[in-house]
């Protein structure tokens, strides 16, 4: 089932990237533009903002894995990197960059409150993707209107953005989503404890490391069997590679079938720690 969900997610994300790309080249406005969070915020479309807030609280960061075209571009680059570099391209757990995320988020909010959209549109994933498509595809090959004609400054910004996205994604997957992107940070706060989320069953986990190897968000901490849901982009990569079906997308948390320790007794004549009894084994020589 998880493989089918993952395939469906990939198809939806590719469509959500291809349609706006074609629309920008042809000079049309696609429906996916209205689904973007910053666009909805600047235009005052509260329905879109409410929709993504509910989706994030219930299912996690589905926006990042399905509708965000820049996120899909990062996934394409990281997938290509894994095909080319094979086993050398293995992701590992990275501690969350909370201070960096907060700095970029506050910077974005300050510019929005001041009425300036230079920094917000520079950091917004859809705006960055649309800028690259216009400069590299729409202007040379499409129907670029007069206001969208070639400008050296805009081309330079698009070029730096493209090089940064490709370089970071090639080696570190979704690192930009969880450090620089203000949309990812906001959605991360909303998905810290989503209703449905990925959980690792400690009784079934065999510590093979396959889930951590394919997690492009670097949010799986295998020794502790924990997942940082604020950075998880709900790509379903980890569940499809787990050889023992130890990861599931569910509500609630797993508990150990056999607890490692029992509660310390704090009442009575003496304090003592009760532990599970072990069967004694006797060895004899013949």
């Amino acid at each position: 089932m998880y493989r089918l969900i993952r395939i469906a997610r990939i198809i939806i994300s590719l469509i959500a990237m291809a349609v706006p790309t074609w629309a920008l080249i042809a000079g049309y406005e696609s429906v996916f533009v209205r689904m973007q969070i910053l666009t909805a915020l600047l235009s005052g479309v509260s329905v879109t903002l409410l929709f993504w807030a509910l989706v994030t609280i219930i299912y996690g960061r589905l926006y990042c894995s399905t509708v965000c075209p820049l996120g899909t571009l990062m996934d394409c680059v990281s997938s290509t990197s894994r095909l080319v570099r094979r086993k050398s391209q293995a992701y590992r757990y990275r501690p969350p960059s909370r201070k960096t995320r907060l700095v970029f988020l506050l910077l974005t909010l300050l510019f929005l409150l001041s009425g300036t959209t230079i920094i917000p549109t520079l950091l917004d994933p859809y705006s960055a993707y649309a800028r690259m498509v216009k400069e590299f595809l729409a202007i040379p090959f499409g129907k670029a209107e007069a206001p969208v004609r070639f400008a050296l400054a805009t081309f330079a910004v698009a070029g730096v953005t493209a090089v940064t996205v490709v370089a970071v994604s090639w080696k570190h997957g979704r690192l930009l989503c969880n450090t620089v992107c203000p949309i990812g940070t906001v959605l991360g706060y909303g998905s810290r404890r989503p209703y449905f989320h990925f959980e690792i069953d400690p009784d079934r986990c065999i510590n093979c490391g396959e889930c951590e190897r394919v997690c492009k968000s670097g949010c799986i901490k295998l020794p502790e069997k924990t997942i940082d849901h604020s950075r998880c982009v709900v790509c379903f990569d980890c569940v499809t590679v787990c050889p023992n079906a130890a990861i599931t997308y569910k509500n609630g948390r797993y508990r150990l079938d056999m607890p490692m320790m029992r509660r310390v007794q704090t009442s009575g004549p003496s304090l003592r720690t009760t532990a599970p009894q072990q069967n004694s084994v006797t060895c004899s020589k013949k």
Side-chain angles (χ1 to χ4, degrees), residues 44-218:
V45 183
S46 57
V47 176
T48 302
L49 298 176
L50 180 61
F51 170 77
W52 284 120
L54 292 175
V55 168
T56 304
I57 292 172
I58 298 174
Y59 299 105
R61 291 171 57 178
L62 281 179
Y63 170 88
C64 301
S65 60
T66 55
V67 179
C68 178
L70 190 64
T72 303
L73 177 62
M74 292 179 186
D75 290 346
C76 293
V77 172
S78 61
S79 298
T80 305
S81 174
R82 279 169 35 201
L83 288 174
V84 173
R85 300 168 64 187
R86 296 187 181 277
K87 289 186 178 180
S88 63
Q89 177 59 7
Y91 301 115
R92 290 291 180 263
Y93 173 81
R94 292 187 299 266
S97 305
R98 295 188 179 91
K99 292 183 179 179
T100 305
R101 299 170 76 181
L102 187 60
V103 166
F104 280 103
L105 177 60
L106 292 177
L107 189 64
T108 302
L109 293 177
L110 286 175
F111 273 86
L112 283 176
L113 292 175
S114 65
T116 306
T117 60
I118 296 177
I119 296 299
T121 53
L122 184 66
L123 299 177
D124 174 58
Y126 179 79
S127 301
Y129 180 80
R131 190 182 305 111
M132 291 188 294
V133 171
K134 286 180 181 179
E135 292 298 322
F136 302 143
L137 296 176
I139 293 177
F141 309 109
K143 300 178 180 179
E145 299 177 358
V148 197
R149 294 293 180 184
F150 177 80
L152 182 59
T154 309
F155 182 83
V157 172
V160 171
T161 303
V163 170
T164 303
V165 168
V166 172
V168 176
S169 303
W170 183 267
K171 190 173 182 180
H172 301 290
R174 288 288 193 117
L175 180 62
L176 290 176
C177 294
N178 291 319
T179 52
V180 176
C181 178
I183 304 299
T185 301
V186 172
L187 296 177
Y189 286 128
S191 63
R192 293 183 67 182
R193 293 179 179 85
Y195 186 78
F196 291 105
H197 54 273
F198 293 103
E199 279 289 328
I200 301 176
D201 187 348
D203 292 313
R204 296 183 65 92
C205 180
I206 58 176
N207 293 307
C208 64
E210 286 297 307
C211 58
E212 187 179 15
R213 183 181 64 82
V214 300
C215 180
K216 48 186 172 280
S217 295

Side-chain angles (χ1 to χ4, degrees), residues 277-281:
Q277 294 181 355
Q278 298 180 351
N279 295 328
S280 59
V281 179

Side-chain angles (χ1 to χ4, degrees), residues 215-282:
C215 180
K216 48 186 172 280
S217 295
C219 62
I220 299 179
K221 198 171 185 179
L222 194 57
E224 285 80 3
K225 309 290 188 299
T226 58
I227 299 175
D228 185 356
H229 304 298
S230 68
R231 291 185 290 155
C232 175
V233 294
V234 199
C235 63
F236 285 88
D237 286 352
C238 57
V239 292
T240 56
V241 299
C242 182
N244 206 35
I247 306 177
T248 53
Y249 186 62
K250 63 187 289 290
N251 176 37
R253 303 193 65 179
Y254 280 113
R255 295 178 181 271
L256 284 170
D257 288 341
M258 183 173 292
M260 302 298 292
M261 298 181 66
R262 292 185 182 176
R263 184 167 53 89
V264 176
Q265 183 177 349
T266 57
S267 61
S270 61
L271 297 178
R272 61 188 181 90
T273 304
T274 58
Q277 294 181 355
Q278 298 180 351
N279 295 328
S280 59
V281 179
T282 58

